[in-house]
Amino acid sequence: MLFPAPIAIAAAADGPLWLRAGAPAAAQFLSGFGVMLFDVNLNSLQAAVIPDGMRSRVAGACSTINYGVRPVGAVVGGLLATFIGLRATLLVAAVGGALSLLWLLPSPRPRIRSLIPDHTMEGDSRPVAS
């Protein structure tokens, strides 16, 4: 949520030059902070629950998907900005990015509160979500 939502700040930038320059800078700072929070939590969770022998495969698959969809997003964003304008496209990106967390709600991930195993399967020390 902290990563995509600040894009709306850049879309709302208007007024004097200092505000038009400061709003995108603030949006970039907040987005970067959100990405760092996300990455630290994601990497800690992955290190705790993915077996060592599979970790590089999971990282490779995630990177392939992450970097593979970026050109598609760039083309779609460019087309959208051409047809509806840059501000509207930034708002669509902010709202769409913020709403993208909805698919995580039914997942067990939001309920994970600790990486210390509560209950483990026999011979497995990885944490299980409650």
Side-chain angles (χ1 to χ4, degrees):
M1 182 84 173
L2 263 177
F3 169 54
I7 296 171
I9 296 171
D14 201 7
L17 179 60
W18 66 268
L19 186 58
R20 288 181 304 188
Q28 185 64 36
F29 175 79
L30 291 172
S31 289
F33 184 73
V35 168
M36 285 189 290
L37 287 177
F38 172 78
D39 282 347
V40 166
N41 288 307
L42 174 68
N43 292 332
S44 298
L45 181 61
Q46 284 180 339
V49 300
I50 297 172
D52 291 342
M54 293 292 295
R55 201 168 300 143
S56 62
R57 292 178 187 174
V58 171
C62 289
S63 293
T64 299
I65 292 168
N66 185 2
Y67 294 114
V69 299
R70 288 181 184 193
V72 176
V75 170
V76 170
L79 289 172
L80 200 57
T82 299
F83 291 113
I84 67 171
L86 183 57
R87 285 181 196 257
T89 300
L90 289 172
L91 287 173
V92 167
V95 170
L99 292 177
S100 68
L101 69 88
L102 291 178
W103 70 274
L104 282 175
L105 294 179
S107 163
R109 282 189 181 184
R111 292 183 293 282
I112 295 175
R113 296 291 177 248
S114 173
L115 295 179
I116 299 170
D118 290 337
H119 7 300
T120 58
M121 296 170 55
E122 189 173 321
D124 188 0
S125 62
R126 292 177 288 138
V128 178
S130 53

